[in-house]
Structures are given as structure tokens and as C-alpha cells.
Amino acid sequence: MGGRLGTTRPGRLPLRGGLPGRLFLLLTLVGSLVFLSQGRAEAIPAFANGQGLSCTACHTTFPGMTPYGMMTMMSNFQDLDYRKQRQAFPLALRLQVETLLANKSHPASTVAQTLSLLGGGFIGPHVTWYSEQPIVDSGFPGVTEQMWLSWNGLFHGSNSIQVGKFHTPFPFMPAHGWTLGNYLLATQTSGQNSFNPNDARWGVAFSGMTKNWMYNASWLTNSGPVGDALDYSPQAGPRTLDLNLSYGGMVRPWALGAVVMKGTAPLFGSGGAYVAGDAFTRQGLYYSYQTRAWFVQTMYYLGQDARPDINVGATPFHGAMLEIERDFGWRNHVLVRYDVASSDTLNRQYILDDAYNFLPNLKVTGELALQPGARPSIAFAFDWAGPFQQGKRYLWNPPVGARLVSIRPGSSGMAGMAGAHQAQIAMGEHLVAANGCSGCHGATFGGGVGPALFGIEHRLAPTQIADFIAHPRAPMPNFGFTKPQVAAIVAYLSSLDGGRGGMMPILTTKPIPGHDAVIVTVRFPMTVPKSASIVTSMSMGGGAMHGSTTALHQTSDPHVWTARIHFDMAGPWTLRLNYDGKHLTRTIEIGDSR
């Protein structure tokens, strides 16, 4: 969460204090083995922990983003499930250690690139927050990397106003930046003008998206510590108006974007006194194409500084890059990039990266960097983000503290069904719940950001449903399900409204706004039962908290039974339908009473 456009920054901190580089690497290896022994992690916190999502839902190799992850990040996380997130432990850590191999131009070094504390969540259903605070940082220790609030859902859409310190809005930033080397066009500066899109800056932004469009307008100031947030003097640093617009990328595999920036930067004389301002402009065109296996992006960037330094006239600014990434499943990612940038200096580089994920949140990246007139540079980086455990979530109860709970499946099925099919549906329900499908498709799968899944077996053949799951279309993420898992999910989704044969009861719920209650309606398509009831329960750690037992009553249609059920707290509840010695279970989300 919260990646950068590359991670190589000046002034790295070597590992000192009596801990030699070899010993540190040995401890890193031991730590890796410890993490590997925990089993495959399913997500990278803090937001993924709250949603119970697989990390591959949002990330290729972290912090690189999938289309769904980019949509989530660019919407300031407002598409996430508020009820789930507010129960989750809101903090996480990210560690990156980088080793640079020696050549004739520089000695070997091992540096603590970053150890950052990440936090995020909701303040009410319409306000999200995020913070990234380095504990150890190779650039500027102690300087807040990000800290913002976002007021979401404006104008009855995905629009938001973001205030604080956030990444400079840029067509590809920071959606795909996982290499060790920077994007030159994002870090190149001109004379005394320190503005570059690689920095996070204090400011205010208005942004939003539709099915095909993304747009952003922001006013940006300093990139320094918290005290700079309220320093509005033009002498304190660059002031920039940034406009972004892009089309595609969500429901299409390609995206086309444009950015326009206009600002001023302070100029200082030899004695350090403020002399004048440098008026500058930046414009760029961006194109990307992304499939499950390939990602291609390119950008052309240009502009001009009216007076980048004392006694220097108007100076043009140019930059371009072409990047191609190949993903071999979730474990291996190979990337090649060429980029060039020029202002008062000219920089060119060729980058080759290979990232191998031991776990979705534990990886090693190797990079070969070539520059004209320089010797090849080879570096390796170890990255970890966590904590997270497979099939579990870290929840947060302030009086008690953090606790680890299991994502427990309901015992979905029908007593009269064949045992194998019943077990398959139960597995499918667990996979759907554990991977947060309701976040896009709705709590009752009636549709949301994604299409309705309720009754999907009447619209598509089982092979078509399986194909959509195994080969998803953007922005739906690729969860990497196996064939048996896909078959289980198809069986579960096809059972939600009685199945293709119409043999199973159809259980639906209707929320009652403003109350922790629902109306449950059950249609028995075949034999009408003698009696029926609903038993509620909520998973709590290793056990379950039992709620109430409510009898269902027939309506004017003898095949339709209904009841009003009350809940005493928000969260995921299991509804168990009991009828004539048989049962059926469904999981629903109950919100609070606000």
C-alpha cells in the first residue's frame, strides 16, 4: 500500500552500529525462513487485512498494482467495505533492505532502504485516512511520507476531496512502481526548481472516476515535514496546479491519459536571499496496456522553465519512458525499461528487474542498471509487508487490543444433497467469503461495482462462469484459483437462488435502513415444509457467538416464508435455515445503526 515511483533515493543509510552486512543478510535469510514457515500469506495489510482479500487482488508484485488495485488506490479506498475495515487492525509494517554489489565505480553496500509504519481505515462510512511514517528511511529520516484524509462519495458518485500529504497525481504514479531504480522523468529537476512527481506533497485534490474515466485536479505545495503543511509562502518551495485525465484501464485493457502542470518555484541568490520565482510548465501523454501476463506502459513528458536558475534563461524539459513487464503467475515478474530525461542535464538508463515472491508479501528483487559511459550496476532488495496469516484477519478492539481471528466458512449445503456436492458448495462459500467478493458484487451478490452474481447460473453456462473466474476481465482481479477451487465457486454461486434445477430453497434478505435488522424471505420451490426457522451466529476467534432463533411464517403464497431478524452488533453473520431436518446456510454483512 502506498508505493513509490521506484525506491532509489539519495543519502541512503548504511547498516551500522556493530551489525556487519553479512550478519544482517544471514538474519534476513533466517527471517525469510520463519516467514515461509507461516504458510502462504493471503494479503498485504492494512486495507487488505481488513477486507480479507488476497494480496493478488490489488498487487502484481507489491507495490505494483493490478487494474483493480489502481482503482482502489485512486478512489482513496472508498470502494472497500467500511463495515469490515473498521473492525480491522489499522496498522502494518513494510521493510525493504537493499544490497548494491561492488564494481570499479563504487564499493558494495547494504542499506536499510525503509522501515515504514503504515496505517489506514475509515472515519465514518464516507471518510478514509492513510498514513505512511518511516521509522528508518534512506532519504529523510522522520519525515512523514503520506498523511491524508479523504471525504468520499460526493455528488452521489465516487468523487472525493483529499487533504494532506499524498503522492503527486501522475498518470502511472504510483500504480506500477516496484523497480529499484527511479523513473527518470519523475525525478528529473531543473536548476533550483526541486519539483518532481516522485515526491509526496502537501495539498488538496479533487478526484473521481466513472466506468471509463478517471480525473483529478490538485493544488500542491511542499514535500517536507509536517510543519511545511501550513507554510504558504512561495519562498518555501514549488507551488503547482496539477490536472489529470485518463480514459480506459478499468473495463478496458488499455488506458490513455494526459497530465498538465503549471507552477512556480523560488530562486535564491548567492547569499540565500529570495530573488524571484521560476514559472514552469509540465505536460505529458501516457498509454498503457495490461493483461494477466503482460503490462506495457509508455509516456512522453515535456515542459519549460522560464528561469530555472540565476542568469539562466528559458530551458526546455523533456522526458520519455517505455516499460514492458511479464508476469509468470504471482511468483515471478520480469521487467525491462528504457527512460530518458533532460533539462539542464541529460540522463538515460536501461533497467532489467526480476522479482521473485516467496509469499505474496515476501519477495526478493534483482536489478541490472545500465547507463551510457558507466559500468553496469547490480542490486538486490528484500521486501516484506505484514503481518498477515493465511485464512485469518487481525481485528482491533481498543479496550482489549488486537486479536487474530479465522475467516471461517459456513457449513453451506442441504442435508438431502450428495455429500461431495455439499462439501464443494461449502468450499466455494469459504473461497468467496475469504477473498472479499462481496466488496464488489454486493453483500447479497445483487450487484455493486461488479455485476450481480445472484441467479448467474440462469444467464451463463457453468463453463462460462468458470472462465470468468479463471480468466477475469479488468478490473476484476485474478485470484489464481485452481480448477477445483473454480468448480467449487461455480457450485456455490449457482446454488444461491435454488440452482439450475430449482430444487434448493431460495434465501434472500432485504436491509432495513437505519436498523440492525433484515427481512429474510425463503422460497421453497418444491415441497412446502411443516416448519422453518433461522438461527443466527457470528464467528468469534476459534468459536462462534450465537444470536437468536427466529421462526419463519408462511405468507399468502404457501411456498414463501418470511421473518424479521434483529442483530445486536455489526459484522458478518451466518444465517442457518432449518426446515424438516434439513438445513442451508448463508453469510450476510450487518452494518451499524447509523
Side-chain angles (χ1 to χ4, degrees):
M1 304 298 226
R4 297 187 181 91
L5 276 179
T7 53
T8 302
R9 289 167 292 168
R12 298 173 177 175
L13 297 179
L15 294 170
R16 296 174 181 170
L19 185 63
R22 291 183 180 178
L23 176 58
F24 184 85
L25 292 178
L26 177 61
L27 293 176
T28 297
L29 177 60
V30 172
S32 300
L33 294 176
V34 171
F35 288 125
L36 286 170
S37 69
Q38 300 297 316
R40 174 177 169 177
E42 288 297 323
I44 296 174
F47 286 103
N49 169 60
Q51 300 298 299
L53 287 170
S54 166
C55 71
T56 55
C58 288
H59 295 282
T60 52
T61 182
F62 71 96
M65 291 287 185
T66 63
Y68 173 75
M70 184 174 179
M71 178 184 71
T72 299
M73 180 192 66
M74 296 302 290
S75 66
N76 299 329
F77 311 109
Q78 63 178 289
D79 64 322
L80 302 182
D81 190 323
Y82 154 68
R83 297 180 298 274
K84 287 183 179 180
Q85 195 64 45
R86 71 190 187 96
Q87 303 169 32
F89 185 66
L91 301 177
L93 290 172
R94 184 185 174 192
L95 168 68
Q96 184 181 72
V97 178
E98 186 176 324
T99 295
L100 181 67
L101 301 187
N103 62 24
K104 293 184 178 180
S105 301
H106 56 75
S109 65
T110 298
V111 300
Q113 186 76 330
T114 186
L115 175 61
S116 295
L117 182 66
L118 313 176
F122 284 75
I123 303 175
H126 301 296
V127 177
T128 52
W129 66 275
Y130 182 75
S131 178
E132 182 177 348
Q133 178 61 56
I135 301 171
V136 175
D137 186 86
S138 62
F140 304 95
V143 174
T144 299
E145 181 67 21
Q146 292 194 76
M147 186 170 65
W148 52 258
L149 288 172
S150 178
W151 180 22
N152 307 313
L154 304 179
F155 310 118
H156 305 286
S158 64
N159 303 290
S160 63
I161 293 180
Q162 185 181 28
V163 179
K165 188 177 186 182
F166 45 85
H167 282 295
T168 305
F170 208 53
F172 64 94
M173 198 292 266
H176 305 289
W178 58 266
T179 61
L180 307 185
N182 286 314
Y183 293 84
L184 292 181
L185 60 80
T187 55
Q188 184 89 336
T189 59
S190 181
Q192 292 191 39
N193 182 3
S194 62
F195 176 82
N196 67 74
N198 193 56
D199 286 333
R201 296 182 177 276
W202 298 99
V204 58
F206 172 81
S207 60
M209 64 180 64
T210 65
K211 185 176 181 180
N212 293 302
W213 295 93
M214 277 188 181
Y215 44 89
N216 178 284
S218 57
W219 183 76
L220 308 168
T221 62
N222 300 318
S223 60
V226 176
D228 289 349
L230 300 178
D231 189 346
Y232 299 103
S233 168
Q235 303 179 30
R239 299 289 185 269
T240 311
L241 180 64
D242 182 334
L243 303 175
N244 283 265
L245 181 67
S246 65
Y247 180 84
M250 295 299 103
V251 296
R252 291 173 169 78
W254 55 268
L256 181 65
V259 57
V260 178
M261 301 180 186
K262 182 178 179 62
T264 59
L267 291 178
F268 301 95
S270 57
Y274 175 77
V275 175
D278 165 34
F280 67 91
T281 60
R282 303 285 186 267
Q283 304 91 38
L285 289 176
Y286 169 76
Y287 176 80
S288 71
Y289 184 85
Q290 187 169 20
T291 66
R292 287 198 316 151
W294 292 95
F295 175 63
V296 179
Q297 64 175 350
T298 184
M299 185 172 186
Y300 179 64
Y301 191 51
L302 74 161
Q304 179 171 291
D305 284 72
R307 187 183 180 187
D309 212 333
I310 304 299
N311 300 322
V312 175
T315 303
F317 189 105
H318 298 280
M321 69 90 181
L322 172 64
E323 181 175 82
I324 302 173
E325 179 182 341
R326 176 70 163 94
D327 293 343
F328 299 90
W330 66 271
R331 285 190 180 274
N332 291 283
H333 308 266
V334 176
L335 179 147
V336 293
R337 182 173 81 239
Y338 168 73
D339 51 355
V340 59
S342 65
S343 55
D344 47 353
T345 60
L346 172 65
N347 290 301
R348 291 200 306 271
Q349 67 178 0
Y350 303 85
I351 296 289
L352 172 63
D353 281 84
D354 182 12
Y356 179 79
N357 288 64
F358 297 98
L359 303 172
N361 66 329
L362 175 67
K363 70 172 185 175
V364 171
T365 305
E367 179 172 282
L368 171 65
L370 303 174
Q371 293 182 334
R375 293 180 174 86
S377 177
I378 300 176
F380 295 91
F382 164 91
D383 279 271
W384 173 82
F388 207 90
Q389 292 191 36
Q390 180 180 9
K392 296 183 178 181
R393 298 173 65 214
Y394 289 88
L395 301 185
W396 177 242
N397 185 349
V400 179
R403 60 190 175 96
L404 184 63
V405 302
S406 298
I407 301 175
R408 300 175 64 85
S411 55
S412 182
M414 189 168 132
M417 297 170 59
H421 188 52
Q422 179 178 356
Q424 188 182 46
I425 288 180
M427 177 192 292
E429 181 180 6
H430 170 57
L431 291 168
V432 167
N435 287 280
C437 301
S438 62
C440 281
H441 296 281
T444 58
F445 302 107
V449 176
L453 300 179
F454 191 89
I456 192 172
E457 78 279 5
H458 301 296
R459 302 189 298 272
L460 299 174
T463 54
Q464 293 176 303
I465 303 173
D467 183 67
F468 274 105
I469 299 169
H471 306 97
R473 284 65 161 169
M476 177 176 168
N478 180 15
F479 295 99
F481 293 125
T482 63
K483 287 185 178 180
Q485 289 175 326
V486 170
I489 294 171
V490 172
Y492 170 65
L493 296 178
S494 299
S495 74
L496 292 174
D497 72 338
R500 187 176 294 275
M503 300 292 292
M504 296 177 61
I506 304 169
L507 189 155
T508 59
T509 60
K510 181 179 180 181
I512 303 175
H515 298 83
D516 291 333
V518 297
I519 295 293
V520 175
T521 302
V522 180
R523 172 177 286 278
F524 296 95
M526 304 298 290
T527 304
V528 176
K530 295 179 180 179
S531 64
S533 63
I534 295 288
V535 179
T536 62
S537 63
M538 175 185 283
S539 296
M540 301 290 288
M545 183 186 77
H546 294 285
S548 60
T549 299
T550 305
L552 292 167
H553 302 283
Q554 281 182 311
T555 64
S556 57
D557 182 344
H559 289 271
V560 178
W561 297 54
T562 186
R564 177 182 177 126
I565 300 178
H566 294 270
F567 301 88
D568 55 7
M569 64 181 298
W573 286 83
T574 297
L575 304 182
R576 178 185 171 107
L577 168 66
N578 295 318
Y579 63 104
D580 289 352
K582 302 175 184 179
H583 73 269
L584 180 75
T585 64
R586 292 289 179 259
T587 300
I588 65 171
E589 288 282 344
I590 299 299
D592 61 18
S593 59
R594 285 179 292 176

